[in-house]
Amino acid sequence: MLSISSFQMLAYIMENPSLTAVAEKMDVSVQTARKNLEALDKEYGCQMFRSLASDAAELSDAGLVYASAAVKICNILSDADRKAEKIIKERQDAVIVASLSRGLDKKLRKLDGFRFKSIFLDASDKNSEDVLRNLGKDADIVIGFYDDALLKRFRLEAVSFSSAMAVAVSSSSPLARKKNLDIEDLYEHKLYVPRKGFSRRIDNFVHDMHDFHPRIEIVNTASYTPELLKTVSENGDFILSSAAMNLSGYSLKSVSVDWIYKMNYGLLYSNKNEKAADVVKALTSNKL
């Protein structure tokens, strides 16, 4: 199989048969360029060149087939390089915010001097642990539910946006227009909550719901996914959220409930990540 350098040499020869020109583009001597072409001709045994002189190479009919393919492959690779460079530059320039929201948190939108990019992530999902453990790699900041145990486990800091536990309901529901819900408003409905074991507070909340409000069907979910959020909106059910959680992109609205339950919701970051530390400094100094 042809190597990348072989593809490049064939593409260059098709453009200009001069070995001097090929050598300059490959950044090698003319002698090295000629030896490489001779080795290529022997490797394929199909007479890649009609002639291979000291200063020029003439492709055979078979060589032209390979060279034409080489030109296409080199163009594809060049296009891939450009796209990869763009992705790398975007990652270097942007602060990546991972959250359930399809858009930036309103507190971050008010900050000047930062270029943010959002990706979907549920902090309660077990699969998010790699992101939390390696903040600065795939994401710089995570916004979601957290407790002290989670912060300690992943050695993170937090900026709290709210501790008021709420529920998200379809934006078209009459309940979405209420400032606060009574717990009875949840009766005869499903209430989706993060997986068991994510937080002791949430687990205790679930136990209380089972004991004192059995008319609410509690459903532990392994992860909050776009599909689940869509289902909740369409079926008129509820999903445990925070008063500060923005799920409007899924036609859901977070509404507070008249209960005593609380769960921290906010920005999680590592002080070792300079980008995140700068954002937090801006947040706290602006007192947003």
Side-chain angles (χ1 to χ4, degrees), residues 165-238:
M165 195 181 286
V167 295
V169 63
S170 172
S171 301
S172 62
S173 169
L175 296 175
R177 294 193 288 272
K178 296 182 68 173
K179 185 176 181 180
N180 291 287
L181 299 180
D182 296 320
I183 196 166
E184 289 81 5
D185 289 324
L186 280 61
Y187 284 4
E188 320 307 336
H189 290 280
K190 290 181 180 179
L191 172 59
Y192 292 88
V193 302
R195 62 184 174 83
K196 185 177 181 181
F198 166 66
S199 168
R200 184 174 296 178
R201 284 191 178 187
I202 292 179
D203 289 347
N204 289 338
F205 164 80
V206 170
H207 292 153
D208 283 357
M209 292 299 105
H210 284 313
D211 290 344
F212 303 113
H213 302 280
R215 292 173 63 183
I216 301 173
E217 183 182 350
I218 301 295
V219 183
N220 282 99
T221 180
S223 176
Y224 284 14
T225 63
E227 293 75 20
L228 175 61
L229 297 174
K230 181 181 179 182
T231 297
V232 171
S233 175
E234 292 177 346
N235 293 349
D237 293 320
F238 299 91

Side-chain angles (χ1 to χ4, degrees), residues 231-248:
T231 297
V232 171
S233 175
E234 292 177 346
N235 293 349
D237 293 320
F238 299 91
I239 192 164
L240 194 67
S241 67
S242 164
M245 191 181 291
N246 179 6
L247 297 175
S248 58

Side-chain angles (χ1 to χ4, degrees), residues 18-215:
S18 167
L19 291 187
T20 300
V22 171
E24 288 179 355
K25 289 190 174 183
M26 296 295 294
D27 195 24
V28 296
S29 66
V30 173
Q31 184 179 10
T32 298
R34 193 174 190 286
K35 285 182 178 180
N36 289 342
L37 292 174
E38 289 174 344
L40 183 63
D41 195 34
K42 288 180 181 178
E43 180 181 352
Y44 277 80
C46 62
Q47 196 175 358
M48 191 80 74
F49 305 98
R50 185 168 285 114
S51 66
L52 186 54
S54 59
D55 59 347
E58 183 183 355
L59 290 164
S60 65
D61 290 342
L64 282 169
V65 172
Y66 279 108
S68 296
V71 170
K72 295 178 181 178
I73 291 170
C74 288
N75 288 337
I76 291 172
L77 291 174
S78 295
D79 185 52
D81 286 340
R82 286 192 294 271
K83 290 179 179 178
E85 287 174 5
K86 182 180 178 182
I87 291 171
I88 292 170
K89 189 175 188 305
E90 286 179 349
R91 179 65 187 97
Q92 291 173 339
D93 295 344
V95 179
I96 309 298
V97 181
S99 73
L100 291 173
S101 172
R102 278 178 169 168
L104 288 173
D105 181 274
K106 61 182 179 181
K107 296 178 185 292
L108 297 181
R109 289 201 303 268
K110 294 180 180 178
L111 292 181
D112 293 325
F114 295 95
R115 183 174 175 275
F116 293 105
K117 182 179 179 181
S118 298
I119 60 174
F120 184 93
L121 183 129
D122 171 18
S124 70
D125 183 355
K126 198 168 184 64
N127 291 328
S128 71
E129 292 184 357
D130 284 342
V131 175
L132 292 169
R133 190 176 290 109
N134 299 294
L135 280 181
K137 184 179 178 182
D138 296 323
D140 299 303
I141 290 169
V142 170
I143 296 176
F145 283 130
Y146 69 91
D147 56 18
D148 290 342
L150 183 144
L151 296 181
K152 183 177 180 181
R153 180 180 179 188
F154 297 105
R155 299 180 182 179
L156 301 177
E157 303 291 332
V159 175
S160 177
F161 293 164
S162 172
S163 62
M165 195 181 286
V167 295
V169 63
S170 172
S171 301
S172 62
S173 169
L175 296 175
R177 294 193 288 272
K178 296 182 68 173
K179 185 176 181 180
N180 291 287
L181 299 180
D182 296 320
I183 196 166
E184 289 81 5
D185 289 324
L186 280 61
Y187 284 4
E188 320 307 336
H189 290 280
K190 290 181 180 179
L191 172 59
Y192 292 88
V193 302
R195 62 184 174 83
K196 185 177 181 181
F198 166 66
S199 168
R200 184 174 296 178
R201 284 191 178 187
I202 292 179
D203 289 347
N204 289 338
F205 164 80
V206 170
H207 292 153
D208 283 357
M209 292 299 105
H210 284 313
D211 290 344
F212 303 113
H213 302 280
R215 292 173 63 183

